[in-house]
Amino acid sequence: MSRLLGGTLERVCKAVLLLCLLHFLVAVILYFDVYAQHLAFFSRFSARGPVHALHPAASSSTNCSRPNATAPSSGLPEAPSARPGPTAPILPPCPDSPPGLVGRLLIEFTSPMPLERVQRENPGVLLGGRYTPPDCTPAQTVAVIIPFRHREQHLRYWLHYLHPILRRQRLRYSIYVINQHGEDTFNRAKLLNVGFLEALKEDASYDCFIFSDVDLVPMDDRNLYRCGDQPRHFAIAMDKFGFRLPYAGYFGGVSGLSKAQFLRINGFPNEYWGWGGEDDDIFNRISLTGMKISRPDIRIGRYRMIKHDRDKHNEPNPQRFTKIQNTKLTMKRDGIGSVRYQVLEVSRQPLFTNITVDIGRPPSWPPRG
């Protein structure tokens, strides 16, 4: 009987010992788990300020068991924190028909127009004349190219009217003023080629190019400065032509081409020095490549021109009619691939980017007899 009781008591003691050991193991596990939680909690506070190592010898390595641990600086650029930061909101696409458009506009050129006033009126426009809508994502990135020389007053009026129009149209755009250096004969089309190339050097994402004379202002903001499936002619009804096209093949004033369309016609001709002819050559290039010109409704394609005296260095090119007839022969060799120029200065102004270039001198023309 005593032997039976002794065996039972031994088994009970072993069971109690095993329970004590199990309790001890559970307590150890819980202790280290709570310790790790406290350590992670306090490390978040210490990460906000500079970390002072208590033991310099141990501070040369990172404790990889803690994701928020920081290593001392090694003089190299630090990697970004692994902790997720605030993400930018995903904006919806900009609407095809922007809701804030006004329609017909009153355009006048009699009031003084200092650049300071234009800058105050357009606080959302960034340095260099760049703008991105804050509430939607545009489908295109637009570069507006202006051939320029000695038209400062015209430029101020143009900026005064066009920046608000382009902003209401919900465009992501930049303004480039391509300024011809010197007093030699003006070359509009060559300056436009330069603007195309220089804009892409600054931002390769441009996929739409609007080419605009500095003295033309649209009279309706529903004339959207966008590119489509075909080259676009915007200025189809100027006041100086009685608000109608002067002739069916006219492509002057303001036009728009996508990057692919511009390259398809080899850009614009470089050999039209002086006034006239280059827009007809561009029209021929578009026709020869099988594309068709799209135009807005004449009710919204109206433009006002700022009156000015003709530049004495922008006289009509006496050879323009002969060149126009030979577009098919010249367009492959004369264009964006053959343009030669030298950039003299790039100046980012509050409302536009000014690029001053030397485009060379025209060839000598034989005297007209």
Side-chain angles (χ1 to χ4, degrees):
M1 183 69 180
S2 60
R3 186 179 301 174
L4 180 61
L5 290 175
T8 302
L9 182 61
E10 182 180 359
R11 286 193 294 273
V12 170
C13 290
K14 288 181 178 180
V16 170
L17 182 62
L18 288 173
L19 288 174
C20 291
L21 181 62
L22 180 62
H23 180 270
F24 176 76
L25 291 174
V26 170
V28 170
I29 293 172
L30 291 175
Y31 172 79
F32 280 106
D33 183 64
V34 172
Y35 174 78
Q37 291 181 15
H38 279 275
L39 189 63
F41 175 77
F42 286 109
S43 67
R44 288 198 297 269
F45 288 93
S46 63
R48 297 179 183 176
V51 179
H52 301 284
L54 295 178
H55 303 286
S59 65
S60 60
S61 61
T62 305
N63 185 353
C64 298
S65 65
R66 291 188 287 127
N68 293 330
T70 56
S73 174
S74 62
L76 300 174
E78 296 184 1
S81 172
R83 291 176 295 167
T87 57
I90 299 177
L91 299 177
C94 292
D96 291 335
S97 299
L101 298 180
V102 177
R104 292 291 296 272
L105 304 171
L106 177 62
I107 307 296
E108 58 89 17
F109 307 118
T110 58
S111 303
M113 194 56 61
L115 276 177
E116 293 76 13
R117 171 185 168 180
V118 183
Q119 189 175 352
R120 288 195 303 269
E121 294 170 344
N122 298 278
V125 176
L126 303 179
L127 187 68
R130 304 175 73 92
Y131 178 79
T132 300
D135 55 350
C136 63
T137 302
Q140 298 177 342
T141 303
V142 181
V144 183
I145 313 296
I146 301 174
F148 184 83
R149 185 172 62 183
H150 304 327
R151 297 285 180 86
E152 287 75 13
Q153 181 68 11
H154 296 174
L155 179 60
R156 288 195 287 269
Y157 282 121
W158 192 96
L159 295 169
H160 166 70
Y161 286 112
L162 265 296
H163 268 305
I165 289 175
L166 299 177
R167 288 165 50 211
R168 289 197 297 271
Q169 292 182 357
R170 297 293 196 274
L171 298 179
R172 177 170 51 224
Y173 69 89
S174 299
I175 307 296
Y176 293 91
V177 175
I178 312 302
N179 179 37
Q180 180 174 332
H181 174 72
E183 300 297 332
D184 283 312
T185 305
F186 196 69
N187 191 324
R188 175 180 181 268
K190 190 171 185 179
L191 291 173
L192 296 178
N193 279 340
V194 172
F196 176 86
L197 293 173
E198 292 301 312
L200 285 176
K201 287 180 183 178
E202 184 172 276
D203 188 345
S205 68
Y206 289 124
D207 48 12
C208 177
F209 295 83
I210 307 297
F211 304 98
S212 174
D213 289 346
V214 74
D215 57 0
L216 286 175
V217 175
M219 301 177 65
D220 196 310
D221 61 1
R222 293 171 295 178
N223 193 0
L224 302 178
Y225 276 28
R226 299 174 181 168
C227 295
D229 296 334
Q230 301 294 333
R232 183 84 164 170
H233 185 214
F234 297 97
I236 64 169
M238 298 184 200
D239 56 354
K240 79 167 187 175
F241 296 136
F243 294 111
R244 60 175 60 91
L245 282 174
Y247 50 91
Y250 182 70
F251 196 68
V254 185
S255 58
L257 292 88
S258 70
K259 180 180 178 181
Q261 292 163 0
F262 189 86
L263 294 175
R264 184 174 175 182
I265 65 171
N266 192 24
F268 297 159
N270 299 304
E271 298 179 356
Y272 284 84
W273 297 87
W275 178 83
E278 80 287 341
D279 47 352
D280 298 308
D281 192 296
I282 296 167
F283 178 87
N284 290 343
R285 289 171 182 240
I286 293 172
S287 301
L288 288 168
T289 53
M291 294 186 288
K292 296 182 179 180
I293 294 172
S294 67
R295 295 185 173 98
D297 188 286
I298 195 168
R299 291 171 294 180
I300 65 173
R302 296 188 170 200
Y303 279 74
R304 282 206 64 188
M305 173 177 279
I306 308 173
K307 294 182 180 179
H308 55 85
D309 296 327
R310 179 172 290 172
D311 186 351
K312 66 179 180 179
H313 298 293
N314 194 23
E315 292 300 321
N317 184 336
Q319 297 181 344
R320 64 187 186 279
F321 297 112
T322 302
K323 291 179 178 295
I324 294 169
Q325 297 172 4
N326 294 316
T327 304
K328 187 174 182 180
L329 302 176
T330 59
M331 66 176 292
K332 290 185 178 181
R333 66 169 177 81
D334 178 26
I336 193 65
S338 62
V339 61
R340 299 291 181 265
Y341 65 95
Q342 180 182 2
V343 175
L344 302 180
E345 182 185 17
V346 177
S347 175
R348 289 174 179 82
Q349 304 294 325
L351 298 168
F352 62 95
T353 296
N354 181 84
I355 303 178
T356 300
V357 293
D358 181 357
I359 59 172
R361 306 183 66 179
S364 298
W365 294 328
R368 287 176 287 182

